Structure formats: C-alpha cells, structure tokens
Amino acid sequence: MNIRGGRAGLNSVSFAGDNYYVISRLKKGQVVTKKKKIKKYENKLTSIIDGIPFVRSLSLMLRFLLTTWKVYLFGFLFIILSSLLFKGSRDPITTIIIQINDYIVLIFLVIGVGLVFKVTSIAKYHAAEHMVANAYVVDSDLTVDKVRVQPRTHNHCGTNLVVTILFLLAILHMFFGSTRWIYLGAWVVGYEIWRFEPKFIWTVILAISKTAQYILFTSPPSDKHIVVAMAAMQGLEKAELKND
C-alpha cells in the first residue's frame, strides 16, 4: 500500500493513499474512523499538474490553502499586525528591523505554530502519525508496542518543505533584499528541491527539519494518540486493499 501523506489535528490523524483518504478522531473516548474516496478526476488532474516542473508547486499551495486556510489566515493577520507595529517609525534601530522584518516574521510565525502544536494535543497526534507511518513500513501488523519504539520524526514530514523554503529565503534575502518576488521564487524552487531531495543539500535540510520536528512540532504521545493514528492507518489499508 502506498501512503501518499498524513496529517495530524487537534484530536485526529489522517492518512491518504492512492484511492482513499481516511481520518480517525477521538470523540467522547471512542475512536471514530471515516473514509473518503479520492475522485478519479482529482487523481488525473494531480498527475497532469505534477508533471509540470515549478507549476506543480502552485498546485500544492492551492491545496494547502483550501485544507488549512485557518493557519494561513492566522499567519496573514500576524504579518499585517507586525507591519502595523513598525509603520511610521524613523529611528535607526526600527529601520533595520523593518528591513529584515518579513523574514524574521516568518521565522517567528513558524515558531509560533510550533508553540500552538506544543500547548495543544496536535504535537502528540503529529508524533503518533509519524510513529505509526514509520512502524507500518517495518511491519504492517501494527500494535501499540511496535509503534512505541519508532522515532517521532519522519523523513517525509511537511516540515522538510518549510525548512527548505526558509533556507532558500535566507540565501535570496542576502543577495536581493526583501523584495516580494523572492518569496514566490523560494516556494517554487524549494518545492522542486523538496520533491527530488538532492544529496548535496538534503542532509543538512533533513537534520534541521528533524530537529524542528522533535523540538517544536511533536511531543511524546500517549497510548490514546497512538491508537487513533493506528486506526487511521488500518482504515486506509482496509479501504485500499478492498479497492484492489
């Protein structure tokens, strides 16, 4: 079975395969699992767009916006508020801050999201998602004990993309300053790097990403978090095998 992706929520874990998307939630002490068939035209459209270099990154951005619009709204409001705080100031220190403000705001935004993960249950479900995915690759017959021994970081976490984009932004910022086009450039090129994982740079990016995953975006899960993640993976496996 191909695992196309995973995601953690406040009380949920979801996994996507070739044909189905499955989400498991903890409701009133019970694990509730639902599946959704991925429509054929969605797969076909995705395949076409994924074959077009650089354009495919914009498709991913659109999917992110549609599925996680609340996070983007929070980030947008955070940036607007930060800009207003510095608006109109003329002292040298603030001028320097304004020049690096956009990039620094992005860094603090990532840290802020990590803190939200930490103070809620998302970090624990995120860790459980990673651990279950890691365990499934080793042995598809999942148990809590088998999952427990797995690392809570993952080689293909979306954090890798975030780190790649921030890394490119830092480089572009040094050469071109805080011009708006560097953000689009970092996203488009960063996506291609994230997709192909070139060895000359990926070792560094993965090391930074796993550190961020461990410190900011995951926390040690309890059995209930693992059980929810296992239910999502087992539900996906059942749906995908039945589809075959």
Side-chain angles (χ1 to χ4, degrees):
M1 180 183 73
N2 292 322
I3 304 170
R4 297 298 184 184
R7 187 174 299 165
L10 277 171
N11 64 342
S12 67
V13 173
S14 61
F15 289 104
D18 290 327
N19 303 290
Y20 284 91
Y21 165 84
V22 175
I23 183 168
S24 292
R25 289 188 175 92
L26 188 64
K27 289 186 176 181
K28 298 180 180 179
Q30 299 294 321
V31 179
V32 179
T33 301
K34 295 182 179 180
K35 66 179 180 181
K36 178 183 177 182
K37 177 77 172 178
I38 299 174
K39 297 177 181 179
K40 289 184 178 180
Y41 75 84
E42 292 177 346
N43 276 333
K44 187 175 181 179
L45 181 61
T46 300
S47 297
I48 293 173
I49 295 175
D50 282 349
I52 307 174
F54 303 109
V55 174
R56 53 193 168 208
S57 65
L58 302 180
S59 171
L60 179 64
M61 183 186 294
L62 179 60
R63 290 199 294 269
F64 278 170
L65 285 171
L66 292 175
T67 57
T68 58
W69 63 270
K70 292 180 181 179
V71 175
Y72 281 90
L73 179 61
F74 171 78
F76 178 75
L77 293 176
F78 185 80
I79 292 172
I80 293 297
L81 179 60
S82 300
S83 299
L84 290 175
L85 288 175
F86 293 115
K87 186 177 180 180
S89 179
R90 290 291 183 270
D91 63 273
I93 294 178
T94 304
T95 301
I96 294 172
I97 292 175
I98 290 173
Q99 290 175 351
I100 62 173
N101 184 47
D102 290 347
Y103 186 71
I104 296 300
V105 164
L106 284 175
I107 296 293
F108 276 103
L109 178 59
V110 171
I111 295 174
V113 171
L115 292 176
V116 171
F117 273 47
K118 284 292 190 179
V119 300
T120 64
S121 59
I122 299 177
K124 294 180 179 180
Y125 281 111
H126 192 199
E129 173 214 330
H130 286 174
M131 293 164 71
V132 166
N134 287 329
Y136 187 85
V137 173
V138 177
D139 184 355
S140 60
D141 184 19
L142 298 173
T143 66
V144 172
D145 289 337
K146 290 178 182 178
V147 173
R148 273 269 170 227
V149 299
Q150 295 298 321
R152 70 181 203 235
T153 60
H154 197 279
N155 287 342
H156 301 293
C157 179
T159 307
N160 298 348
L161 177 59
V162 175
V163 170
T164 304
I165 292 171
L166 289 176
F167 183 79
L168 286 175
L169 271 177
I171 295 174
L172 292 173
H173 195 277
M174 286 190 296
F175 287 98
F176 302 103
S178 189
T179 56
R180 299 304 177 192
W181 69 266
I182 68 172
Y183 297 94
L184 178 60
W187 174 272
V188 171
V189 177
Y191 178 84
E192 296 299 317
I193 293 175
W194 171 72
R195 184 182 176 93
F196 293 104
E197 302 179 0
K199 291 183 179 180
F200 73 93
I201 194 175
W202 198 248
T203 302
V204 175
I205 289 175
L206 194 58
I208 297 172
S209 175
K210 285 193 172 184
T211 301
Q213 289 178 49
Y214 193 86
I215 295 175
L216 289 175
F217 301 115
T218 64
S219 294
S222 66
D223 286 354
K224 72 175 183 180
H225 303 108
I226 292 175
V227 168
V228 171
M230 285 173 52
M233 182 65 80
Q234 290 165 342
L236 179 63
E237 181 183 47
K238 183 178 179 180
E240 291 288 339
L241 292 178
K242 187 176 180 180
N243 187 78
D244 292 339

